[in-house]
């Protein structure tokens, strides 16, 4: 019975997104060469410039969805995550994410992928704002409750989301203790809105192959292949940084828990593959949870804290990627981010990764907010879309490995009796 329904879906819906993007890339290379490969004929320039329209539309939609997505993801997690996460969990999550970002920033500063080939701007850049840490501190509190939503201000938004999340969680606990159920209406409302935003995000993602085609064809037509040297260098640099993060996890697990690195790697292979193939740590969560309990042999409480809470809040791979993207774009446009600006990148990347939902492309959505915080031109994000389909898979696998590492560390150095 299911077969005819699948058959009835239009052809493009049956082709996985990553294949659509690869096809769009191949077509774009051909079209870009046809249109001049760096030496366009003047009569074609108007047409070439219009090729950027789909990617601009996609970018605007992603920016518009970023704030509701973060707000609802945080509220949803606070209302539905099990038990009290505890300060130890919070400490572990924060340390791992900070290490991830520092690795990302170090590797990006050493390799400097943005200087490997010039990329000229898809459209006029916004001004790079000078950074004043005291102003940043004062600006933590929004002037009005809805202002962070309108201004796309990630720091204020997360603060707002955390405040409401903590308040709602407290109210829910009180009501449960009193046998009341009023909280259910708001919990269901938030779940429903969260799903609605994710559904709209999927509609936007359907347009991504078209956006990739347009922006890549335009770039090749106007600038030839030079910009792609930088992008290829960027992809490799991110992979190196993610690999270093894996080494960090394995060392942490070796010295901080009873689990051996080999046991973790064998135990997590299914979850990592699931994360890589779905680009979603939430989709991989049931497999992660089961692998932690059944294959690695952790206690139920450690497995559920790491996998369930982690997949909602802990996105080390995303944090590393957002910070590296900001540095990459700064290098591309020849701007040296000062130390306080790099610190802002660290802070906003932590917040943006906490706010990123564990779904495909969420990191790309929240990245617009990191860029805005340090005044980098968000227009460059459209170029990253061309490689994001692949990097999303890699960072999702790291997100899941981060959750598993936290679970092992929570389980401690004493092996559970039944595993011995
Ligand atoms: N896709 C990632 C995840 O599900 C989030 C991201 O886009 O970085 O964990």
């Amino acid at each position: 019975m299911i077969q005819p329904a699948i058959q009835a879906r239009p052809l493009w819906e049956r082709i996985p997104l990553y294949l659509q993007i690869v096809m769009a890339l191949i077509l774009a290379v051909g079209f870009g060469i046809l249109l001049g490969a760096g030496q366009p004929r003047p009569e074609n320039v108007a047409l070439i410039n219009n090729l950027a329209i789909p990617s601009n539309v996609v970018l605007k939609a992603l920016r518009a969805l970023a704030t509701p997505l973060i707000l609802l993801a945080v509220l949803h997690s606070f209302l539905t995550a099990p038990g009290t996460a505890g300060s130890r969990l919070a400490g572990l999550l924060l340390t791992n994410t900070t290490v991830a970002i520092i690795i990302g920033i170090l590797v990006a500063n050493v390799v400097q992928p943005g200087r490997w080939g010039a990329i000229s701007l898809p459209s006029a850049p916004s001004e790079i704002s000078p950074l004043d840490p005291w102003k940043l501190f004062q600006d933590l509190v929004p002037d009005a409750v809805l202002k962070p939503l309108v201004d796309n201000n990630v720091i204020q938004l997360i603060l707002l989301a955390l405040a409401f999340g903590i308040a709602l969680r407290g109210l829910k606990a009180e009501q449960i203790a009193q046998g009341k159920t009023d909280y259910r209406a708001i919990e269901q409302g938030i779940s429903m809105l969260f799903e609605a935003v994710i559904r709209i995000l999927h509609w936007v993602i359907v347009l991504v192959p078209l956006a990739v085609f347009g922006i890549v064809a335009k770039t090749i037509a106007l600038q030839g292949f030079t910009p792609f040297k930088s992008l290829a260098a960027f992809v490799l640099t991110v992979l190196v940084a993610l690999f270093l993060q894996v080494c960090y996890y394995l060392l942490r697990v070796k010295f901080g828990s009873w689990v051996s690195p080999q046991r973790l790697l064998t135990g997590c292979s299914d979850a990592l593959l699931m994360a890589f193939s779905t680009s979603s740590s939430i989709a991989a969560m049931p497999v992660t949870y089961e692998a932690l309990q059944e294959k690695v042999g952790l206690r139920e409480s450690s497995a559920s804290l790491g996998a369930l809470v982690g997949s909602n809040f802990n996105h080390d791979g995303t944090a590393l990627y957002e910070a590296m993207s900001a540095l990459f774009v700064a290098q591309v446009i020849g701007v040296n981010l000062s130390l306080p600006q790099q610190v802002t990148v660290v802070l906003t990347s932590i917040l943006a990764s906490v706010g990123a939902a564990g779904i495909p492309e969420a990191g790309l959505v929240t990245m617009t907010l990191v860029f805005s915080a340090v005044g980098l031109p968000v227009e460059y994000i459209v170029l990253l879309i061309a490689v994001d389909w692949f990097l999303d898979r890699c960072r999702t696998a790291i997100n899941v490995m981060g959750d598993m590492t936290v679970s092992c560390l929570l389980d401690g150095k004493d092996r559970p009796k039944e595993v011995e």
Side-chain angles (χ1 to χ4, degrees), residues 63-71 74 129 131 135-162 344 347-349 351-352 355 365-375 378:
R63 286 183 81 183
L65 288 173
T67 34
L69 189 67
I70 290 188
L71 183 64
V74 174
S129 54
L131 192 93
K135 185 163 178 316
L136 204 73
F137 182 66
Q138 284 181 56
D139 286 350
L140 272 178
V141 180
D143 292 325
V145 170
L146 293 183
K147 209 155 179 278
L149 280 162
V150 179
D151 295 347
N152 275 357
N153 184 321
V154 67
I155 304 190
Q156 292 182 351
L157 187 77
I158 299 261
L159 198 77
L160 196 75
L162 287 178
T344 311
L347 292 179
T348 46
S349 300
L351 294 174
V365 178
T366 55
M367 188 190 293
T368 56
L369 307 177
V370 178
F371 275 47
S372 308
V374 278
V378 288

Side-chain angles (χ1 to χ4, degrees), residues 279-282 315 318 356-364 392 395-396 399:
S279 302
S280 165
S281 41
I282 292 278
H315 303 116
T318 307
I359 55 168
E361 310 291 350
L364 199 66
D392 188 13
R395 67 176 184 262
T396 306
N399 288 345

Side-chain angles (χ1 to χ4, degrees), residues 109-328:
N109 274 320
V110 171
V111 182
Q112 307 253 343
R115 303 209 197 279
W116 286 39
I119 307 180
S120 67
L121 251 188
S123 53
S126 13
E127 283 279 292
I128 302 276
S129 54
L131 192 93
D132 175 355
W134 292 117
K135 185 163 178 316
L136 204 73
F137 182 66
Q138 284 181 56
D139 286 350
L140 272 178
V141 180
D143 292 325
V145 170
L146 293 183
K147 209 155 179 278
L149 280 162
V150 179
D151 295 347
N152 275 357
N153 184 321
V154 67
I155 304 190
Q156 292 182 351
L157 187 77
I158 299 261
L159 198 77
L160 196 75
L162 287 178
F164 272 95
I166 293 169
L168 284 173
R169 196 178 168 95
L171 287 170
K172 175 179 167 179
E174 281 164 32
Q175 289 194 359
I176 290 178
Q178 294 161 9
K180 292 188 192 160
T181 54
D182 299 354
Y183 69 90
R184 282 203 192 137
I186 191 127
E187 192 172 290
Q188 282 163 358
I190 286 173
S191 295
M192 189 97 178
L193 281 173
F194 185 42
E195 278 172 33
V197 175
I198 292 178
R199 185 168 291 194
I200 299 172
L201 186 64
H202 282 145
W203 296 339
V204 177
I205 288 174
V206 168
L207 295 175
V208 163
L210 190 64
V212 167
F213 170 78
I215 195 69
V216 173
K218 179 189 165 184
T219 311
I220 293 179
L222 291 181
Q223 302 171 46
F225 288 92
T226 329
F228 293 93
K229 272 194 213 154
S230 276
L231 268 186
F234 175 65
V235 172
L236 287 178
T237 317
V238 172
L239 292 181
V240 169
L242 290 176
F243 173 74
L244 290 177
Q245 181 70 9
V246 170
C247 297
Y248 163 77
Y249 287 148
L250 294 179
L251 281 175
R252 283 290 311 243
V253 167
K254 181 170 167 60
F255 293 109
S257 77
W258 63 266
V259 181
S260 71
Q262 205 201 345
R263 189 182 179 99
L264 177 70
L265 281 176
T266 333
C268 32
S269 54
D270 284 351
L272 293 185
L273 268 178
M274 180 78 180
F276 187 82
S277 50
T278 58
S279 302
S280 165
S281 41
I282 292 278
M285 184 177 72
V287 185
T288 313
Y289 177 63
E290 203 213 51
L292 284 171
Q293 263 201 295
E294 306 295 326
K295 301 210 169 116
V296 185
L298 301 186
R299 295 168 182 87
E300 200 277 331
S301 57
S302 329
S304 66
L305 268 188
L308 308 187
V309 180
S311 60
N312 281 300
F313 286 116
N314 188 31
H315 303 116
D316 299 343
T318 307
L320 176 151
Y321 179 65
E322 308 222 335
M324 289 190 87
S325 306
L327 257 75
F328 171 67

